[in-house]
Amino acid sequence: MIKRKYGLLFVLGAIAATMISGCGNTKSADPSGENAESTSQEKSSSSSEGELTLLMTNSWVDENNPLGVEFNNVIKQYEKENPGVKITLQAASQQDIKESFQTAALAGGGPDIVIMDNSGHAIDLAAMGLLEPLKNYATADELISQYQEGPLNSGKFGGEYYSVPWYMDCCGLYYNADRLKELNLEVPTNWEELSKALDTVLGAGYGGIATYQSAYAFYSFFYENENPVIDTSGEIPKVVIDNENGKEAWNYICDLIKKGALVESFKEATTWDKVYESFANGEATFLLGGDWCASGIEGVNPDVNYGIAPMVAGKTQATILGGWTWNINVNSKNPKLAYDLISYLNSEKGDSILAVEGKISARKGFDYDKALEGKDKLKVFTDEFPYTEARPAVINEKTIDQLITNAILEVNYGKSTADEALTKLTSELNSNIEENYK
């Protein structure tokens, strides 16, 4: 049995119950916080009438920007096509949205639908019993036929799917095209080529790799070496970062660090802005990041001549997943209606929302070529999608990420050898699993 150690959070949620009927900044009254004790038998079975509340990040709700305008337009179109439906939008910051939803849902209320980063957030909420399982509205085969495997698996917990993928992205290899030409280098395609290219780059006095200070991009090297970091195939996750393949991947990462491959600004790269600046201003020759980095780089220096290639391959090709998902509150009175709205937003009728920022839908039937017209550099990411993998689907993945990041920083600052850091990391990861699973 899995032990769910969230009792304190439930207590805090109960205390907050008298203060919270929803989350974020509300555009109109939240209907979903009333009669929180309704049973599943009382939940609406209608998919053509009812009230729904959506909790989104600020930019999707704010009608002062093109993204918010288009999202609101599609919501209004759904209401027009379903005149018995009333939809209310709420907003929270990207940093606060999970906690906002969690607090309200623990108190028995909260929005019917919440968007969530696919980096393990839904796993935590599903483990706490706060999300509706999708099996009530679609079979596993139906979901698998509709959505890319990586995004779909990011919301899989205990053998059940809890999140509907919305849009997806993944990590690619950005490179300074002028610098590679100057140094007579080809774009690296595998570990050996990347390591040798970095030797040449560093030898010429240039900086190597810029990326966000987290485990995000580094997961890719483990996946490329056929190591999942944490094996989630059984009931209790098992830490495997220290097996043969894991050690090879870890040692490769540490060898890059020891030769000075991470640019100096990596030590301060706690926001993506720092990463864009490093690459756009010429400190870094390579950047590990997703499709959103392109606009960030060009915003800093529109004249930089860069390209984007797939992540380098190890034993296999692999890269790390990013993106957002739709999640239905277990307290929702209209879960079937919520799933119907999600299906609408995920269909071609909602593609105009993603087009505003060149986002790519996670559904398999999405027209990538049409979505990326005029954005040829970004097409490389769609080539990576078939081998894009989600972070380990474990409770409290945020802590897993931080532990890996800390180990990388210890090696980067010269406080630990590769072996010492891996031994400590393995022990800490095991302790984390033991704390959350019994």
Side-chain angles (χ1 to χ4, degrees), residues 112-408:
D112 297 274
I113 300 171
V114 59
I115 62 164
M116 202 75 65
D117 191 298
N118 63 22
S119 60
H121 294 175
I123 304 301
D124 289 349
L125 297 173
M128 297 166 71
L130 299 181
L131 299 182
E132 277 279 307
L134 300 182
K135 66 180 181 181
N136 296 330
Y137 316 103
T139 66
D141 286 343
E142 288 171 337
L143 292 170
I144 291 169
S145 70
Q146 288 180 274
Y147 300 107
Q148 298 284 355
E149 182 179 5
L152 188 59
N153 286 342
S154 73
K156 189 175 184 179
F157 177 74
E160 299 289 346
Y161 294 110
Y162 286 88
S163 293
V164 181
W166 185 14
Y167 66 85
M168 66 180 292
D169 48 60
C170 57
C171 188
L173 177 70
Y174 288 71
Y175 59 91
N176 185 313
D178 288 338
R179 187 164 298 166
L180 294 193
K181 182 177 180 180
E182 174 193 340
L183 299 175
N184 196 29
L185 290 172
E186 298 293 329
V187 178
T189 63
N190 57 46
W191 285 12
E192 182 180 6
E193 290 175 1
L194 177 61
S195 183
K196 288 182 177 180
L198 285 165
D199 288 338
T200 301
V201 167
L202 297 172
Y206 294 119
I209 298 172
T211 193
Y212 184 54
Q213 193 187 104
S214 78
Y216 167 72
F218 298 98
Y219 270 121
S220 296
F221 292 106
F222 289 100
Y223 295 163
E224 289 158 10
N225 212 47
E226 300 176 345
N227 180 273
V229 179
I230 298 176
D231 182 356
T232 59
S233 60
E235 182 179 359
I236 305 298
K238 180 181 179 182
V239 175
V240 294
I241 197 171
D242 61 339
N243 68 15
E244 182 178 353
N245 283 358
K247 288 178 180 178
E248 286 179 354
W250 178 252
N251 286 333
Y252 179 79
I253 293 168
C254 291
D255 285 344
L256 295 184
I257 294 172
K258 285 186 287 185
K259 71 170 64 180
L262 294 179
V263 294
E264 184 64 21
S265 64
F266 174 76
K267 297 174 181 177
E268 301 175 352
T270 55
T271 68
W272 277 103
D273 287 343
K274 291 283 186 181
V275 182
Y276 309 149
E277 291 170 7
S278 174
F279 184 79
N281 293 332
E283 179 194 19
T285 303
F286 299 103
L287 181 155
L288 306 182
D291 56 9
W292 66 88
C293 293
S295 59
I297 292 166
E298 292 165 10
V300 175
N301 181 4
D303 296 324
V304 63
N305 181 19
Y306 72 94
I308 312 172
M311 278 293 288
V312 291
K315 286 186 171 74
T316 188
Q317 285 187 303
T319 189
I320 186 68
L321 173 73
W324 289 73
T325 64
W326 301 103
N327 305 268
I328 301 175
N329 191 342
V330 73
N331 300 318
S332 175
K333 300 176 187 176
N334 293 299
K336 186 176 180 182
L337 178 59
Y339 187 80
D340 185 74
L341 174 58
I342 289 171
S343 298
Y344 184 93
L345 293 171
N346 270 11
S347 72
E348 291 182 359
K349 294 183 177 181
D351 285 351
S352 59
I353 303 169
L354 302 183
V356 174
E357 293 188 338
K359 297 296 185 183
I360 300 298
S361 172
R363 75 173 191 271
K364 289 182 176 178
F366 185 71
D367 189 340
Y368 298 140
D369 291 337
K370 179 179 179 181
L372 293 176
E373 286 180 356
K375 303 181 179 71
D376 290 345
K377 287 181 180 177
L378 300 183
K379 290 181 180 179
V380 65
F381 293 107
T382 66
D383 295 335
E384 290 187 298
F385 284 171
Y387 52 83
T388 295
E389 299 183 34
R391 292 169 174 83
V394 295
I395 298 171
N396 204 6
E397 192 279 333
K398 184 177 181 180
T399 298
I400 302 292
D401 185 290
Q402 189 59 59
L403 291 173
I404 296 172
T405 304
N406 290 344
I408 290 169

